[in-house]
Amino acid sequence: MFNFILFGPPGSGKGTQSVKIAEKYNLVHISTGDIFRKNIREKTPLGLKVQSIIEKGELVSDALLIEILGDALNQHSKARGFVFDGFPRTIQQANDLDTLLSKKNESVSLVLSLEVGDDEILKRLLKRAEIEGRKDDTKEVIENRIQIYNKQTQPLIDFYKNKNKFQALHGIGGIDEIFAGICKIIDKHI
Ligand code: AMP
């Protein structure tokens, strides 16, 4: 299996690129943010539980995340591999993912980070707020999400560097240009 993590701050283009990667390499795209938004739209018990957390830009609990991930992996037991988008976001989640994958005799294959600075992110997310009207794209919430990313998610860079699984790519440019850069790196590892 090829288990790929597309890493990067909110607004770095992970969602757009993950869809393209999953399609090209025939992998299953797992976006935890999309799973939550769908549940909120459908007002499921999970949706009701996480709605206010997400609207504040905070992180949903690690315990809930690993439950969701376990379900998603089981639903796609025949997958050729996965593109994880927006997961893991904490060291605990990364350890939990290793445990889940090791039960299938699998592991994380590669982590690729899209590098985009805070100012550019703020600009992009404010623009997305106008277009998509996401409730967690207000200026205050965006700043909170960036802060949480820097504090809780960035430590994952060293976590994966220590495992020799980490690569970074400059995330500013056209969608196709960045996609080509990502594919070049994947092709060396797949
Ligand atoms: P995203 O679309 O990936 O930016 O996710 C939107 C929101 O869903 C985040 O701001 C969090 O509140 C929540 N969320 C998504 N993935 C995770 C995760 N791996 N851990 C904790 N919270 C998450």
Side-chain angles (χ1 to χ4, degrees):
M1 279 174 88
F2 186 68
N3 298 309
F4 180 71
I5 297 174
L6 191 58
F7 189 82
S12 56
K14 294 191 301 290
T16 309
Q17 297 294 343
S18 293
V19 171
K20 290 170 76 72
I21 296 162
E23 196 186 5
K24 174 164 174 163
Y25 295 98
N26 192 19
L27 305 170
V28 173
H29 174 211
I30 296 186
S31 158
T32 42
D34 284 352
I35 293 173
F36 289 136
R37 280 184 288 278
K38 182 168 185 279
N39 278 276
I40 291 172
R41 263 197 322 273
E42 293 173 357
K43 299 191 165 51
T44 66
L46 171 65
L48 295 173
K49 203 160 159 184
V50 299
Q51 182 162 14
S52 70
I53 301 171
I54 291 182
E55 285 176 3
K56 281 186 274 190
E58 281 159 17
L59 292 187
V60 173
S61 76
D62 291 335
L64 210 47
L65 258 294
I66 206 60
E67 209 178 291
I68 289 165
L69 241 285
D71 287 349
L73 294 190
N74 287 336
Q75 265 172 35
H76 300 282
S77 55
K78 301 222 163 63
R80 199 178 157 231
F82 294 94
V83 182
F84 297 105
D85 158 16
F87 178 91
R89 264 176 155 101
T90 64
I91 299 277
Q92 177 69 52
Q93 290 178 18
N95 280 319
D96 290 343
L97 179 61
D98 280 349
T99 307
L100 274 180
L101 289 174
S102 67
K103 283 186 189 148
K104 299 176 186 291
N105 287 322
E106 290 292 338
S107 59
V108 170
S109 311
L110 178 66
V111 180
L112 178 58
S113 171
L114 292 177
E115 313 255 285
V116 182
D118 287 0
D119 289 351
E120 172 71 17
I121 281 165
L122 189 61
K123 214 166 70 190
R124 286 189 191 182
L125 290 179
L126 287 171
K127 198 167 156 203
R128 183 166 85 185
E130 275 173 34
I131 299 167
E132 294 179 15
R134 265 176 62 160
K135 284 222 172 99
D136 57 351
D137 275 347
T138 64
K139 187 160 190 281
E140 212 178 38
V141 175
I142 290 168
E143 279 168 353
N144 194 23
R145 286 165 65 207
I146 294 174
Q147 242 181 39
I148 288 177
Y149 173 81
N150 288 337
K151 200 166 146 207
Q152 301 204 51
T153 307
Q154 253 187 348
L156 287 175
I157 294 178
D158 279 339
F159 179 91
Y160 286 116
K161 270 187 183 164
N162 289 336
K163 293 178 186 276
N164 282 326
K165 292 190 172 169
F166 186 83
Q167 297 265 337
L169 185 74
H170 186 59
I172 296 184
I175 290 176
D176 291 338
E177 183 191 342
I178 292 170
F179 183 58
I182 294 173
C183 293
K184 220 167 145 183
I185 295 173
I186 291 180
D187 289 339
K188 282 190 205 143
H189 290 84
I190 204 162

